[in-house]
Amino acid sequence: MPAVREQLTPPSAPVALDVSQLPNGKDESLVLLQATSAEYLQTQVLNSGEWSGFLDLPAYLDRETHLLTSDLTKKGRSTAWILTSLNLPANDDGTRQILAACETICKDAYVALDGKLDKIVSHGICSVFCRSEYRGRGYAARMISELGKQLESWQQSNGTKGTFSTLYSDIGTKFYSKLGWQVYPSDHITLPSISQQEFDEQARILPSVRDLTFDHLKALPLVRYTETQVADSSKKAPSTPQVAYAPTAAIFQWHFMREEFLTRHLNQPFPVAKGAIHEQSGIALIWARTYANNPQDWHLSSLHIVIPPEVELDESEQVKIFASLLLRAQLEAQAYAMQQGVEIWNPPQVVLRAAELLAKQEVKVITRDEEHLCSLRWNADLNEEVVWLGNEKYAWC
């Protein structure tokens, strides 16, 4: 990723070319290239209308610069890409024409086959954008197609082939699936926020839990849990590839830095509680605050559901523990004016039962068909269905 900028006045977007000058999306002159620092800044100005939410342009640029200092993205682990044409004239400042743009983040991941677990490098794709003046010419499709091939070797060690990459579609199921990214289950449930009185009434009959700070979270063996889960799942279905992103401290830090920036911007209290844990079992829920453009859509997102592999509690006991964790999340949502409450992606059955225990009724599972569609491109030469374990919000970028 280009270096952090050092200018106070946000730049303006490059002037759009006349469409008569533009090649079509299949033109041989089109190339996918890493953006320079100036070009990366231009892509942020261009995409700010889509991705800045309620932030103005200076605040949006500050947030993106802030995120580049995270352990997940620094030291070259984040890359800005542009689709340009070798035949188009440069801009007045020497930058290349940006026909489409995106970013990728390098993440630690696992893949298991025939019971053998391998630690790999995978990439999450984000901030996909094509300026409105250039849409309808196939640029985004060309960029993503070229990127899929590029990521098979990008930042891989010893000439190995990258196993998979992921993205989260906000434009439905068809566009990215045609380019090789299969849509995976993209379900969620929501629970309303609750008052302190409501919390106290229900908490007294549930197991006790305590808040998790980031320091507490970093001490949990979450990566080991995932390694065990992936390996055990592979042993049960040895011929089916099993994949997961490693729930590292760096990946959670990135999410927390987003929410902390926005809580400061909104003059809200610093978000100390990053989740809650049942100390006797180690069962935990990790969350982050999600601030959408419309306050009615603000919610507390479950990032990761933690069930240590050595837990021997029966399901009914686990249900009560998760009910207590979800209840604490509902109270936290109220404290930060999360009008949509608590949202849990792809909840396992034990969490769904816990939600219904709290709600005292069936909880509707919502299938997303437009936004945040979990999508995975499998690069290996296998035709089997790939199982994506840990398909939770922590993997989103």
Side-chain angles (χ1 to χ4, degrees), residues 93-200:
D93 61 1
T95 57
R96 295 164 292 194
Q97 298 293 337
I98 299 172
L99 303 179
C102 66
E103 299 173 45
T104 56
I105 298 177
C106 176
K107 302 178 181 180
D108 296 334
Y110 297 100
V111 61
L113 188 63
D114 297 327
K116 181 178 181 293
L117 179 72
D118 290 317
K119 184 176 180 179
I120 65 166
V121 166
S122 178
H123 292 88
I125 302 168
C126 53
S127 302
V128 178
F129 180 78
C130 179
R131 65 190 302 171
S132 58
E133 298 95 332
Y134 296 169
R135 292 175 187 171
R137 307 184 71 85
Y139 294 150
R142 176 66 177 271
M143 176 180 67
I144 292 298
S145 179
E146 296 290 337
L147 183 62
K149 293 179 286 186
Q150 178 73 37
L151 293 181
E152 292 183 9
S153 59
W154 183 245
Q155 296 179 323
Q156 302 297 327
S157 61
N158 302 320
T160 57
K161 183 178 182 180
T163 309
F164 73 93
S165 58
T166 59
L167 56 80
Y168 292 81
S169 171
D170 289 323
I171 52 174
T173 61
K174 296 180 180 179
F175 179 80
Y176 290 106
S177 62
K178 290 190 297 185
L179 299 172
W181 276 267
Q182 178 184 342
V183 177
Y184 275 67
S186 300
D187 301 330
H188 69 267
I189 61 173
T190 60
L191 291 171
S193 59
I194 58 171
S195 66
Q196 184 68 55
Q197 180 179 347
E198 292 172 300
F199 174 84
D200 292 340

Side-chain angles (χ1 to χ4, degrees), residues 37-92:
S37 296
E39 290 163 350
Y40 174 54
L41 190 52
Q42 288 177 358
T43 67
Q44 291 180 306
V45 174
L46 288 168
N47 71 29
S48 61
E50 295 283 344
W51 307 124
S52 63
F54 55 79
L55 297 175
D56 61 19
L57 180 57
Y60 172 62
L61 297 179
D62 284 346
R63 187 191 71 180
E64 297 306 289
T65 297
H66 176 62
L67 291 176
L68 287 180
T69 66
S70 75
D71 291 338
L72 183 66
T73 56
K74 65 185 181 183
K75 296 183 179 180
R77 295 178 65 87
S78 182
T79 308
W81 303 91
I82 61 169
L83 183 77
T84 189
S85 170
L86 300 176
N87 293 341
L88 290 176
N91 293 308
D92 292 341

Side-chain angles (χ1 to χ4, degrees), residues 28 34 83 89 91 95 128 148 153 209 254 283 325 337 353-354 371:
E28 293 183 358
Q34 292 182 62
L83 183 77
N91 293 308
T95 57
V128 178
S153 59
V209 298
W254 184 85
I283 294 173
L325 295 171
R353 284 188 57 195
E371 296 184 337

Side-chain angles (χ1 to χ4, degrees), residues 71-375:
D71 291 338
L72 183 66
T73 56
K74 65 185 181 183
K75 296 183 179 180
R77 295 178 65 87
S78 182
T79 308
W81 303 91
I82 61 169
L83 183 77
T84 189
S85 170
L86 300 176
N87 293 341
L88 290 176
N91 293 308
D92 292 341
D93 61 1
T95 57
R96 295 164 292 194
Q97 298 293 337
I98 299 172
L99 303 179
C102 66
E103 299 173 45
T104 56
I105 298 177
C106 176
K107 302 178 181 180
D108 296 334
Y110 297 100
V111 61
L113 188 63
D114 297 327
K116 181 178 181 293
L117 179 72
D118 290 317
K119 184 176 180 179
I120 65 166
V121 166
S122 178
H123 292 88
I125 302 168
C126 53
S127 302
V128 178
F129 180 78
C130 179
R131 65 190 302 171
S132 58
E133 298 95 332
Y134 296 169
R135 292 175 187 171
R137 307 184 71 85
Y139 294 150
R142 176 66 177 271
M143 176 180 67
I144 292 298
S145 179
E146 296 290 337
L147 183 62
K149 293 179 286 186
Q150 178 73 37
L151 293 181
E152 292 183 9
S153 59
W154 183 245
Q155 296 179 323
Q156 302 297 327
S157 61
N158 302 320
T160 57
K161 183 178 182 180
T163 309
F164 73 93
S165 58
T166 59
L167 56 80
Y168 292 81
S169 171
D170 289 323
I171 52 174
T173 61
K174 296 180 180 179
F175 179 80
Y176 290 106
S177 62
K178 290 190 297 185
L179 299 172
W181 276 267
Q182 178 184 342
V183 177
Y184 275 67
S186 300
D187 301 330
H188 69 267
I189 61 173
T190 60
L191 291 171
S193 59
I194 58 171
S195 66
Q196 184 68 55
Q197 180 179 347
E198 292 172 300
F199 174 84
D200 292 340
E201 290 173 355
Q202 296 193 69
R204 60 186 177 82
I205 60 173
L206 292 172
S208 296
V209 298
R210 72 165 174 84
D211 288 354
L212 272 176
T213 66
F214 186 40
D215 284 340
H216 294 146
L217 184 155
K218 288 188 291 185
L220 297 177
L222 302 179
V223 171
R224 177 179 67 81
Y225 294 165
T226 296
E227 290 175 345
T228 302
Q229 179 192 21
V230 177
D232 288 348
S233 182
S234 181
K235 291 173 184 176
K236 295 174 183 177
S239 62
T240 301
Q242 317 272 328
V243 303
Y245 281 113
T248 60
I251 211 168
F252 291 116
Q253 180 199 45
W254 184 85
H255 286 277
F256 298 153
M257 286 176 68
R258 286 178 64 93
E259 69 166 1
E260 289 163 10
F261 182 94
L262 292 173
T263 54
R264 286 195 300 270
H265 183 83
L266 294 165
N267 294 316
Q268 290 188 332
F270 182 83
V272 175
K274 305 301 187 184
I277 187 170
H278 179 254
E279 291 190 289
Q280 292 89 337
S281 66
I283 294 173
L285 181 68
I286 300 170
W287 61 58
R289 296 140 192 85
T290 297
Y291 295 93
N293 194 26
N294 188 336
Q296 292 182 350
D297 297 325
W298 291 4
H299 59 273
L300 194 74
S301 297
S302 168
L303 295 180
H304 187 38
I305 294 164
V306 182
I307 305 177
E310 57 269 20
V311 166
E312 297 181 352
L313 300 174
D314 62 35
E315 185 173 314
S316 63
E317 292 176 293
Q318 291 188 38
V319 166
K320 293 176 183 177
I321 292 170
F322 273 114
S324 189
L325 295 171
L326 291 173
L327 190 70
R328 177 64 188 90
Q330 290 177 279
L331 180 64
E332 190 73 3
Q334 175 70 19
Y336 283 83
M338 306 272 109
Q339 295 186 40
Q340 200 173 343
V342 180
E343 182 176 283
I344 305 101
W345 280 15
N346 299 319
Q349 188 63 31
V350 66
V351 172
L352 182 59
R353 284 188 57 195
E356 292 176 338
L357 177 64
L358 293 174
K360 297 181 175 60
Q361 62 182 8
E362 183 178 354
V363 172
K364 182 180 180 181
V365 177
I366 300 168
T367 297
R368 301 188 300 279
D369 56 11
E370 286 294 333
E371 296 184 337
H372 304 320
L373 304 185
C374 313
S375 308

